[in-house]
Amino acid sequence: MTPSPRLAFLAGTILSAPLGAGLFTAPAHAQQSVALDEISVTSPSPIQASRPALGPATSVQTGILPVATNTFSPVTVVTQDQIARDQPRTLGDALFDRPGISATTYAPGAASRPIIRGLDNARVRIQENGIVNGGVSDLGEDHAVPVNPLVADRIEVIRGPATLRYGSGAIGGVVSADNNRVPTFIPANGVQGQVTTGFSSVDNGRLGAATVDAGADGIAVHADGFKTANDSYAIPGGIQRNSYNESQGGAVGISAIGDRGFVGISFSHYDAIYAIPGGVAEQDRTRLTPNQDRVLSRGEYRPLDGPFEVIRYWAGYSVYRHNEVGIGEDGIEGIQAIFKNREAEGRLELQHVPVDTAFGRLTGALGFQSDRRVINTQLESFLPKTESRANAVYLFEELELRPGTRLQAAGRYEVDRLSSTAAQFPADYAPVDGQDPFQYARTRRFAPKSASIGALQDLPYGFVASLNGSYVERGPTGYELFSQGPHDATATFEIGNPDLKKERARTVEASIRRAEGPLRLDATGYYTRYTGFIYRNFTGLVCDDDFASCGSGTENRQIVYQQQNATFYGAEIIGQYDVLPVGNGFAGVEAQFDFVRAQFDNGTNVPRIPPYRLGGGVYLRADGWFARVNLLHAFDHQATALFETPTPGYNDLRAELSYTKVVDPAIYGASAITLGVQGRNLLDDDIRNSTSFKKDEILLPGRNVRLFLTARF
């Protein structure tokens, strides 16, 4: 069953009660709780505090919930240590169980794109080091994101008003994978790095990844590489056929670093092969072969005087291609479709010097962004060649009324142009004998405008509260406008609507956070009203691989992109509480809860929405040891859309035990070594993901035990 809003409120109360118990009458050990470095995130705002020198990202102790309290919008942070222990192979894997976040899990371990608050594809921007990732994962759930989290220093997920920094394609949120591929610092000892490897039992998974940073005399260099390989994974009672995958890649980068800033460049390569399990794809032995080359440059300059405190830039260019290989309708195995994507993006930000006003200190930054993308497809593809351009200007300003009270206002103006080939279909989308849809060149132009305002307030006992409101517009994407053919990934025959209008979202969001002392808490509630929400509407016809077959075919549901008003609301809560001192650490409890409800104005539900989830457990961190047992329960998802089936709930029991030893680099060649074992789905439960197009065809992996080893030097 799906819990009611009253249960949602009750769950939040239950969750916060034990965590807050004893907070205001804390035992003596609470005052001696481990001192936590402030989590400093860089993605949400172009306004960054001055710093004397660039350095590595702040480290967080193993098992401690990272909470960013200095941002107006809540930010989910996955640290490098967490990545090394979980060893995710996709961004979806890395974020799937975080409150407010799910994933497509179309090909688990290979093609799994993050879903934020029930939104994905064109509404979620995925970027690496500030520049869009450059793949085609937004065009189809079967397409992998060409970003491997194993070499990331951290992953940040931004929602709410902060997404104005990146454009209308981030109306639902931003997933930012950050690493040091363009070096921003010189290691204190001249060289530092990390090597990690692991093995997973559910799929005979093998992986290895390494990063190295070095430098001297104002020059810094970086190198990294990764390789993963997995057999088809086990599910309760069998094997999920055609679910194997393999990937590899790496990067090199170099920067010149001085007292006033840095400038650098990097080159990276990514390639993989992975199979699509379930349904026709499994029968046809379908597999994809993504390949990407990417060049990235970024820099920062801090003038001695003048109106600007900091000038920053990012610029990137990528070339991406994948082949979709399998058995065609002629019974012969070969390349069935080809997708190509060339994309360039640049961004310049000018942070002005602080200005003291009668109300307080004003800080701000002006930004400019430009993007050009060309998508080209061949063979059996649903989208003709499409070119899109976007140029934008944005402004963020923050006013510190007094210590602990800050206001923020932001605005963005964007100009988009999309050119492709449109098709004129009959009004009832039923074919007419002997007539094909008329095709013609079409260019659409949009000018999305966005604005936000927010307040951040320090509260007693280390709490921080924020309240934000935003108005965001999004122009339709190329595939929403110009699609006109079969899409095997979703088993649909997609028909775009070249007359779509802009989508508008009005959001109110409130949060309360705490990062210091024995209690760490991050709780957010939000309400979004969409005008002209773009969605895929099923017409009731079924097609084969051409429009003439619609109404008599059997393979693909015919869908048409349409617009309707919709309402989304939900909550995301996660917390930890250190209960008892043990050695030099603590034993504690943790809990989480999240839900999202999404309905159209006609009373029907928006499709593919995540289930309500409630979880909790206990942990111990002391003397280099870390242990955790945690259960995440997903409720039955019955708030289904038309032609969508209910999804049963599941229980994911997880456990971990690891030990970190600080060693002498002169003897061991490393400064710290971590060895551990982690278990997922230990109950071997049937797990189906309600947000996945494949949920009725495949199960997610069964019981899995993972061994991991990480060495830092």
Side-chain angles (χ1 to χ4, degrees), residues 42 52 219 299 326 401 444 466 571 590 680 704:
T42 59
I219 299 297
L401 297 178
R444 292 294 310 275
S466 65
E590 59 186 0
R680 293 292 181 98
N704 185 26

Side-chain angles (χ1 to χ4, degrees), residues 145 311 354 575 650:
V145 178
I311 301 172
Y650 61 83

Side-chain angles (χ1 to χ4, degrees), residues 586-611:
F586 292 92
V589 296
E590 59 186 0
Q592 68 180 76
F593 173 73
D594 68 316
F595 80 95
V596 57
R597 282 288 284 125
Q599 286 185 304
F600 293 116
D601 278 7
N602 63 6
T604 61
N605 296 305
V606 176
R608 299 175 53 239
I609 295 299

Side-chain angles (χ1 to χ4, degrees), residues 160-176:
T163 60
L164 266 65
R165 186 184 185 190
Y166 299 104
S168 59
I171 193 171
V174 176
V175 178
S176 181

